[in-house]
Structures are given as C-alpha cells and as structure tokens.
Amino acid sequence: MDFEPAAEGFVFEVAQGLTVDYAPGEALSHFFAAAAAGIEEQLNLPEHGVVIATRVVLRRARADTFGSHELAFKIAGYLAARKALERSRCPRL
C-alpha cells in the first residue's frame, strides 16, 4: 500500500489493473473494504474529531482460501496504517 497526504478526509483506492487469484472473486471487494476500514480506524483521531487526511492506494494483495477473510484484511490494514504513522513519526504514537 502507498500512503500519501490528501487535501482532506480519507481516500482508499485499488490500483488500476490489480489482480488477485482468488475464488470467489466477488469476495475480494469485501476484503478490500475491510482493509480500508482497518486503515481508517487507525487514522481516526477521535480526541480531535478528525481523520488524518490520507490517500491510500492498494498496489498488491494476496488471498488464499484457508487464511483469507475480512477480519484478516482489516487487521492487515490497521497494521499497515500503524507502520505508516510510525514512519512519519506522527505524534499520536
């Protein structure tokens, strides 16, 4: 995932042409939405009433029939956002 500053709010995009070999394919949109929810949850600053303005682009993803589910993608999103915040040395951490 790429994290970039945004003018305002939170934007999550799936890179054009991203393909993931997973069946059923329609489950992927639920997985990606769960990842976005995990990221947004981490970027939310309720004590200030804002979400850190960020644009996130999902560039690669992997899924398998045994370990992939919405909660796994939500946790992955949460951890990716946390790592991005650590790299930016956000005062929240």
Side-chain angles (χ1 to χ4, degrees):
M1 288 184 224
D2 290 336
F3 287 76
E4 306 168 354
E8 61 182 302
F10 171 73
V11 178
F12 180 84
E13 300 173 10
V14 176
Q16 193 79 6
L18 174 68
T19 59
V20 179
D21 185 22
Y22 184 82
E26 57 272 2
L28 291 173
S29 64
H30 298 288
F31 293 167
F32 297 161
I39 294 165
E40 190 170 18
E41 184 178 303
Q42 181 63 26
L43 298 177
N44 187 17
L45 302 174
E47 63 274 10
H48 301 288
V50 298
V51 172
I52 298 172
T54 308
R55 176 179 176 254
V56 179
V57 180
L58 179 63
R59 302 260 179 223
R60 292 184 311 182
R62 187 176 65 199
D64 64 64
T65 56
F66 298 107
S68 295
H69 47 80
E70 289 180 45
L71 181 58
F73 273 76
K74 184 175 182 178
I75 291 168
Y78 183 91
L79 293 174
R82 187 153 184 88
K83 190 172 197 173
L85 287 170
E86 288 172 355
R87 285 185 182 157
S88 70
R89 298 184 181 150
C90 180
R92 176 180 182 175
L93 301 172

